[in-house]
Amino acid sequence: MQQQGKVNQDQPIKIKFGMWEAKSDIEFWTEKVKEYSIIKPNVTVEVETIPDNSGQYLKVRLAANDLPDIFYLKPADLITYKAALLPLDGLTAAIKNKYPAKLDNSILGLPLVSFSEYVYYHPSIFQEVGVEIPQTKDEFMDVMMKIKSHGKYIPIAIGGKDSWTFYPFTEFGPPLLAGNENYLSFIAEQERPFGKDSPFEQSAMMIKKMAEHELAGPDALNIGFDQAKQLFQTNKAAMLALGQWYLRDHLSKTNSDKDLDAFSLPWRQSTSESLQAITMPDQYMAINKNSKNTEEVKAFLEWVFSPDVYQVYINYSQNSSTLINIESILPFFKKVQEEHPFEPFMYLGIDEKFEKVKNAVQFDEKKAAQEIFSGAKVSDIQQKLNQDWERAVQALK
């Protein structure tokens, strides 16, 4: 009888590779894994669609001990799943990865991509309205107001029906405003981090003003992400705040970047401060430690990160490489960096104590933004958050 984890070259083996839809990843890997079966005829890799990237679907699978053999995880979810993950220490893919996720002294996840955050915009609309790329937070609001006053375009498209679309503002705004790449670990130690003039309040007030002035259109809460993209892609909206990963989607729908440019959302108060953009690893590859074929799954992971395979993928996805020996070819973003330079603000998004506090108070920065956009008072949300946060922090001491 074959022991768990051992490779048998003759026995048919099926590996389930779970992923959410990200930049047509499902389409890419469904085709690419066929090459693996040519190398190893006894191995079939089945690409399995995970219907969300928030972890809810996989949590059900975790409870049923039915996780895929190998799958994508968001950075924060590594903490939730760590007891079910196989250590990857010693693998070539782990040694060559710039951002391996180390939890409890073991590498449990390897990010497939890294990317920076941008505000995509149509230069033709900026020119028509007569606005320039904003250099400060106040200028960004001013540009949106001028586009709104022009009357022809929605200043910025947001699919507010999907709460996650607020992430560039209430998730990524606070660490940039705080100027602290370890922002999560910092507020995990603070008993009341959501007070007056806090980074959270500043980002929340931006959302509040955008809602009050309908800067994302009159119907932002009733449209989802796909509809927001369509507004931008058909030049009905001037801007769209999303990560580097969005470019692949845009090109697949419009077949051109002729009237497309991007800049870093300027969270700074003054041009005397450095201009930074969130830059983070994502799509952490993790292996189910209860897989019946862990050695074969590790071999497949090594293949995914092998130069010939990974180079094709990272160029296709237009994300940045996470490997020390592979550079991605990104002509669009190279031009953006040359014309609108910014400094990377490395944000790993992983802190175990923060996740414990966050889960205890059921805090979701994206849903909080959605509530604010719906009319909730920022002060009310802050007051409740501070009360709940203080109790949770004290309980964990």
Side-chain angles (χ1 to χ4, degrees):
M1 187 182 209
Q2 184 188 6
Q3 294 181 5
Q4 179 176 335
K6 299 295 184 182
V7 178
N8 185 324
Q9 298 295 340
D10 300 318
Q11 180 182 347
I13 292 172
K14 178 179 281 189
I15 295 173
K16 289 189 176 182
F17 182 8
M19 68 186 69
W20 61 80
E21 180 57 288
K23 313 163 300 300
S24 302
D25 275 29
I26 291 171
E27 179 184 345
F28 177 89
W29 288 113
T30 298
E31 287 301 310
K32 196 67 179 172
V33 297
K34 293 175 182 177
E35 297 178 14
Y36 195 70
S37 293
I38 295 173
I39 300 168
K40 296 195 173 183
N42 67 312
V43 179
T44 301
V45 180
E46 176 189 336
V47 171
E48 184 180 354
T49 302
I50 296 171
D52 65 60
N53 67 3
S54 63
Q56 296 305 313
Y57 175 79
L58 280 180
K59 284 176 184 175
V60 175
R61 298 279 296 273
L62 175 66
N65 193 25
D66 185 36
L67 289 172
D69 297 289
I70 185 168
F71 49 99
Y72 287 2
L73 282 176
K74 299 295 289 183
D77 288 330
L78 284 158
I79 296 165
T80 301
Y81 294 90
K82 68 177 183 178
L85 303 182
L86 186 76
L88 307 176
D89 305 80
L91 295 183
T92 300
I95 293 167
K96 292 187 176 180
N97 202 289
K98 298 175 186 176
Y99 314 110
K102 199 162 191 176
L103 297 168
D104 295 340
N105 299 313
S106 293
I107 294 173
L108 299 179
L110 300 175
L112 196 59
V113 303
S114 68
F115 57 80
S116 295
E117 286 292 316
Y118 294 92
V119 177
Y120 295 89
Y121 76 101
H122 295 299
S124 63
I125 295 178
F126 271 41
Q127 185 175 7
E128 180 182 336
V129 176
V131 292
E132 302 288 338
I133 291 176
Q135 298 300 315
T136 65
K137 186 161 63 75
D138 289 343
E139 285 182 15
F140 180 64
M141 295 301 301
D142 187 50
V143 164
M144 288 194 288
M145 291 295 290
K146 286 178 179 177
I147 294 171
K148 172 74 187 300
S149 298
H150 183 264
K152 187 176 175 181
Y153 306 102
I154 294 170
I156 188 165
I158 297 176
K161 189 176 181 180
D162 297 322
S163 63
W164 69 265
T165 60
F166 289 104
Y167 83 87
F169 305 98
T170 50
E171 182 179 5
F172 288 168
L176 281 164
L177 287 164
N180 186 353
E181 293 181 343
N182 297 309
Y183 176 76
L184 298 185
S185 58
F186 173 74
I187 67 168
E189 302 291 339
Q190 305 301 305
E191 294 186 352
R192 301 176 70 86
F194 302 100
K196 185 172 176 55
D197 297 325
S198 65
F200 175 82
E201 184 186 67
Q202 292 179 57
S203 61
M205 290 308 297
M206 177 185 284
I207 286 292
K208 188 72 173 175
K209 290 177 184 176
M210 289 167 69
E212 290 174 345
H213 296 283
E214 295 187 344
L215 299 181
D219 210 29
L221 284 173
N222 294 317
I223 67 170
F225 175 57
D226 287 340
Q227 291 165 291
K229 286 191 302 181
Q230 289 171 9
L231 288 172
F232 181 70
Q233 291 164 359
T234 56
N235 281 43
K236 293 176 182 175
M239 294 181 284
L240 183 68
L242 289 172
Q244 189 173 324
W245 50 269
Y246 167 72
L247 180 64
R248 164 58 58 183
D249 186 293
H250 189 89
L251 295 178
S252 70
K253 299 294 193 303
T254 65
N255 297 314
S256 173
D257 62 2
K258 185 177 180 181
D259 187 27
L260 184 71
D261 203 348
F263 59 88
S264 168
L265 203 163
W267 285 104
R268 59 185 179 175
Q269 308 285 357
S270 162
T271 53
S272 63
E273 302 169 32
S274 63
L275 181 62
Q276 297 178 305
I278 289 281
T279 302
M280 65 177 294
D282 200 6
Q283 292 169 230
Y284 281 80
M285 298 278 281
I287 293 178
N288 175 8
K289 75 175 184 182
N290 294 318
S291 169
K292 294 178 180 178
N293 302 286
T294 53
E295 292 303 312
E296 193 61 73
V297 179
K298 285 195 286 186
F300 173 69
L301 178 63
E302 295 278 42
W303 177 80
V304 167
F305 282 105
S306 64
D308 289 345
V309 176
Y310 188 73
Q311 185 76 71
V312 174
Y313 168 73
I314 203 67
N315 290 345
Y316 169 86
S317 71
Q318 285 297 288
N319 280 298
S320 297
S321 170
T322 58
L323 297 184
I324 59 175
N325 59 326
I326 299 288
E327 288 295 327
S328 35
I329 300 171
L330 308 169
F332 177 85
F333 296 109
K334 182 180 179 183
K335 182 181 178 184
V336 167
Q337 182 62 21
E338 289 172 351
E339 296 181 356
H340 319 301
F342 63 83
E343 296 175 13
F345 182 94
M346 284 308 304
Y347 180 81
L348 297 180
I350 301 173
D351 184 81
E352 192 153 9
K353 185 171 183 182
F354 171 80
E355 290 302 319
K356 287 179 180 177
V357 177
K358 180 180 177 179
N359 291 335
V361 304
Q362 297 182 318
F363 172 54
D364 185 323
E365 53 277 275
K366 282 89 73 178
K367 287 185 179 177
Q370 192 180 51
E371 290 172 14
I372 293 164
F373 215 88
S374 301
K377 288 185 178 180
V378 174
S379 58
D380 289 347
I381 289 176
Q382 286 177 280
Q383 183 178 5
K384 186 175 188 313
L385 268 177
N386 272 332
Q387 290 172 350
D388 293 346
W389 201 268
E390 183 175 19
R391 283 195 293 268
V393 169
Q394 289 176 352
L396 288 169
K397 284 184 176 178

